[in-house]
Amino acid sequence: MPELQLKQLYDGFRDPRTVAELASQIKQLAAKLEEPVNVMEVCGGHTHTIMKYGLLQLLPDNIEFIHGPGCPVCIMPKERIDQAAALAQIPDVILVTLGDMIRVPGSEGSLAQFRAKGCDIRPIYMPLDALKIAQENPDKTVVYFAIGFETSTPMTAVLLEQAEKLGINNLLFHINHVLVPPAIDAVMADPETRVNAFIGPSHVSVITGSQIYQPTVDNYHTPVVVSGFEPVDVMQSILSIVKQKVEGRCELENQYERAVSYKGNEAAQQKVNQYFTVRPSFRWRGLGPIPNSALMLKPEYRHRDAELKYGERLPVKEIDDHKACQCGDILRGKAKPQDCKVFGRGCTPKPR
Ligand code: SF4
């Protein structure tokens, strides 16, 4: 694949006239649909585009978006955040994590609140920043609270590789890397799910390739279109899905060919396979335990595993979602986000 310039990712893909033309084509074609199309955009990045550009308002009533479980912060169960907080309270531990994670509440509060109480918790911009912090603090143990989907895992693998290579032994990992296909399976396992098409996440697909969605197409007979993040990308993907539905096809398509190939980034996949193995089960906020849906360090890297080293000091109690939480139903398309009665009251990402 030739080297991609950043501008190529968006140039022309935010053009309002193109969006309007696509909306018109979708509307004409959607009039031929025999049943509504309920498209799950798995990734929060797509949800952002849909909201920011008002794309839902441009679509006919028989096309709906169902916002999926593709945000690694939102799906993190409280007990994992509780474990991060427990690690941060151990004397001489510096807990580092990506900035998004800091304000998400665990059962005893968010990491931001624990930081305010004096814990050494540092948000970082990219995983390799953890290496520098470990080098600068040789008398402390730095724990990287690693989050993210297939997109972010290669960066954690590179961090681990560098720590091994440079002999930086005071850097440990608490691994919370999760996988998209098992989450799709969890959504589709519900016989009442209304999802009948997918927009495939693009960041994830850059790494994995579009190949990972072929089982979704085959097993559930739903179209999957891997889509870029710009409004033209999303509208083109919706048009492709509607075409498939009207023509009675269920296929894997790749709208985001400027960044995604079928096989993906094989060098990154190799790095991930070198350091990680599949975790038998991981609990997702809203979806509960999903088998084989996350990663953990391979046994040969257990000396880097904070969950093992500090196992006795970490809380293991599973914390259920708020009684009124409707995450699971929202993720399956059985409820709308606005149906939640506790958003901004019982459930808020803001430090209290
Ligand atoms: S309680 Fe409501 S706002 Fe909070 S996570 Fe659940 S569905 Fe979302």
Side-chain angles (χ1 to χ4, degrees), residues 90-155:
I90 297 172
D92 295 331
V93 164
I94 301 173
L95 186 91
V96 297
T97 190
L98 298 178
D100 306 4
M101 203 62 232
I102 292 282
R103 290 173 62 189
V104 182
S107 68
E108 302 291 334
S110 67
L111 295 177
Q113 288 168 304
F114 280 94
R115 187 175 54 171
K117 288 178 195 164
C119 294
D120 195 345
I121 297 173
R122 305 187 191 183
I124 53 174
Y125 186 65
M126 56 184 181
L128 278 177
D129 294 343
L131 203 62
K132 193 160 173 270
I133 295 172
Q135 282 172 312
E136 288 171 353
N137 295 276
D139 53 339
K140 306 253 180 173
T141 299
V142 175
V143 179
Y144 177 47
F145 185 64
I147 62 161
F149 280 88
E150 290 91 332
T151 326
S152 323
T153 317
M155 292 187 281

Side-chain angles (χ1 to χ4, degrees), residues 74 285-286 321-330 336-337 339-349:
C74 302
R285 194 180 287 230
D321 299 322
H322 191 288
K323 278 198 294 300
C325 177
Q326 292 194 280
C327 262
D329 283 347
I330 291 169
K336 296 275 188 197
D339 295 334
C340 177
K341 301 278 187 294
V342 283
F343 173 70
R345 298 188 186 94
C347 181
T348 168

Side-chain angles (χ1 to χ4, degrees), residues 61-282:
D61 289 345
N62 58 350
I63 299 177
E64 189 186 320
F65 288 111
I66 294 173
H67 313 306
C71 167
V73 171
C74 302
I75 59 87
M76 192 67 61
K78 285 183 179 168
E79 61 264 23
R80 302 297 289 182
I81 299 168
D82 290 349
Q83 289 196 353
L87 287 166
Q89 290 174 79
I90 297 172
D92 295 331
V93 164
I94 301 173
L95 186 91
V96 297
T97 190
L98 298 178
D100 306 4
M101 203 62 232
I102 292 282
R103 290 173 62 189
V104 182
S107 68
E108 302 291 334
S110 67
L111 295 177
Q113 288 168 304
F114 280 94
R115 187 175 54 171
K117 288 178 195 164
C119 294
D120 195 345
I121 297 173
R122 305 187 191 183
I124 53 174
Y125 186 65
M126 56 184 181
L128 278 177
D129 294 343
L131 203 62
K132 193 160 173 270
I133 295 172
Q135 282 172 312
E136 288 171 353
N137 295 276
D139 53 339
K140 306 253 180 173
T141 299
V142 175
V143 179
Y144 177 47
F145 185 64
I147 62 161
F149 280 88
E150 290 91 332
T151 326
S152 323
T153 317
M155 292 187 281
T156 305
V158 169
L159 174 62
L160 174 49
E161 183 177 71
Q162 288 298 311
E164 289 285 290
K165 209 181 262 178
L166 299 172
I168 298 172
N169 297 325
N170 62 327
L171 178 62
L172 303 184
F173 295 77
H174 187 280
I175 299 294
N176 302 275
H177 285 301
V178 285
L179 303 169
V180 166
I184 290 180
D185 289 338
V187 167
M188 297 309 282
D190 183 336
E192 291 179 24
T193 185
R194 293 174 54 243
V195 178
N196 59 10
F198 288 93
I199 289 180
S202 27
H203 289 150
V204 162
S205 309
V206 169
I207 302 296
T208 63
S210 59
Q211 58 184 342
I212 62 164
Y213 310 109
Q214 193 61 54
T216 304
V217 173
D218 296 341
N219 295 340
Y220 307 115
H221 309 292
T222 55
V224 178
V225 179
V226 175
S227 173
F229 278 124
E230 300 302 332
V232 168
D233 291 317
V234 174
M235 294 298 272
Q236 278 182 344
S237 301
I238 295 293
L239 183 60
S240 296
I241 286 170
V242 174
K243 269 187 191 153
Q244 286 199 36
K245 290 282 186 186
V246 168
E247 293 167 10
R249 293 182 289 122
C250 289
E251 292 169 11
L252 172 62
E253 291 184 48
N254 180 11
Q255 181 277 338
Y256 200 34
E257 280 182 332
R258 60 196 191 278
V260 173
S261 65
Y262 183 72
K263 287 193 164 177
N265 183 334
E266 291 176 270
Q269 292 165 25
Q270 188 271 332
K271 283 259 180 286
V272 170
N273 293 336
Q274 188 178 341
Y275 295 105
F276 295 98
T277 186
V278 173
R279 192 183 282 263
S281 182
F282 191 84

Side-chain angles (χ1 to χ4, degrees), residues 19-40:
V19 171
E21 173 56 29
L22 286 164
S24 161
Q25 289 182 30
I26 292 168
K27 197 171 175 188
Q28 280 179 26
L29 204 55
K32 299 179 186 168
L33 286 168
E34 289 176 3
E35 58 170 9
V37 178
N38 304 314
V39 185
M40 171 167 280

